[in-house]
Amino acid sequence: MQYLACDEVFSGRKPILTAVEQHSFAVVICEKEKRRDSDAWLRALGSFVGLELIVSDQATGIEKAVKERMFVRHQFDLWHIKRNMGRIRKQIESQAYKKIEKEYKSENMLNRCKSEKTVARQKLVYEKHVKEANKSIHVFDEVNKSMKILLSILPSDSTRCL
């Protein structure tokens, strides 16, 4: 066996260390453990001599166990990579919308000002919010373009990364 996909599933609060052979999809590890740390993963992976690659999420126990095993590479699975990219994109988009909302509110305040003194002060606030909103929109657009490029070059399934 050269390639394993590893993860933890839970029975209540107890982790079940699970590994699937990447080509046959045979479950080769299914062990209930007290912990899911690197020691538990090293024990579970101990009998697999010819391992070259382990694919997993970003679980620290798996990562550390893989680092301790010589000549075994670690690769994050595409599902988690794509999910994390989506979360980051949503966060940046949300930040941009918050800046746009501040811009709209400050424009509304500017339009309601009566005296020249308050108009001048509110105009500065409005211009500051316009700049911040434009910057956030630009950042979102650049991140969005970059993510589209990355997603277009990533394989659609993790077995093609092997």
Side-chain angles (χ1 to χ4, degrees):
M1 237 172 278
Q2 295 174 305
Y3 311 115
L4 292 181
C6 299
D7 203 356
E8 298 104 357
V9 293
F10 291 86
S11 174
R13 292 183 170 252
K14 299 286 184 197
I16 301 170
L17 308 186
T18 308
V20 175
E21 196 278 324
Q22 288 277 260
H23 294 294
S24 67
F25 296 108
V27 176
V28 294
I29 297 174
C30 187
E31 298 178 12
K32 193 171 187 177
E33 290 282 344
K34 292 181 181 175
R35 299 172 60 174
R36 57 187 179 133
D37 60 5
S38 62
D39 292 334
W41 274 106
L42 281 170
R43 282 191 303 277
L45 295 167
S47 62
F48 296 93
V49 182
L51 276 178
E52 293 178 19
L53 175 71
I54 292 178
V55 177
S56 75
D57 58 8
Q58 297 174 359
T60 55
I62 297 170
E63 277 188 272
K64 190 174 177 185
V66 171
K67 284 180 183 174
E68 290 184 29
R69 290 204 46 167
M70 301 298 275
F71 310 110
V72 177
R73 293 180 302 128
H74 186 245
Q75 172 182 305
F76 295 132
D77 65 81
L78 286 174
W79 186 88
H80 284 89
I81 290 170
K82 289 178 179 181
R83 181 196 67 181
N84 292 346
M85 287 174 66
R87 285 180 176 172
I88 291 167
R89 182 188 173 280
K90 284 180 184 177
Q91 287 172 348
I92 293 169
E93 182 180 36
S94 175
Q95 290 170 0
Y97 276 114
K98 287 176 185 174
K99 300 283 184 179
I100 293 167
E101 184 67 27
K102 283 185 178 182
E103 175 191 338
Y104 288 158
K105 285 181 179 179
S106 65
E107 181 183 32
N108 193 20
M109 293 288 287
L110 176 62
N111 291 334
R112 287 194 269 143
C113 289
K114 304 284 186 218
S115 71
E116 287 182 34
K117 186 178 177 182
T118 56
V119 167
R121 198 173 338 130
Q122 190 58 39
K123 190 170 186 175
L124 292 173
V125 171
Y126 170 68
E127 288 170 355
K128 176 185 148 211
H129 288 301
V130 168
K131 284 180 184 177
E132 290 175 356
N134 286 336
K135 183 178 179 183
S136 287
I137 291 166
H138 176 73
V139 167
F140 173 75
D141 286 343
E142 292 302 308
V143 166
N144 203 35
K145 286 181 210 171
S146 299
M147 286 187 174
K148 283 181 179 180
I149 291 167
L150 286 171
L151 289 171
S152 74
I153 61 173
L154 285 173
S156 59
D157 63 53
S158 60
T159 57
R160 289 185 18 202
C161 293
L162 303 176

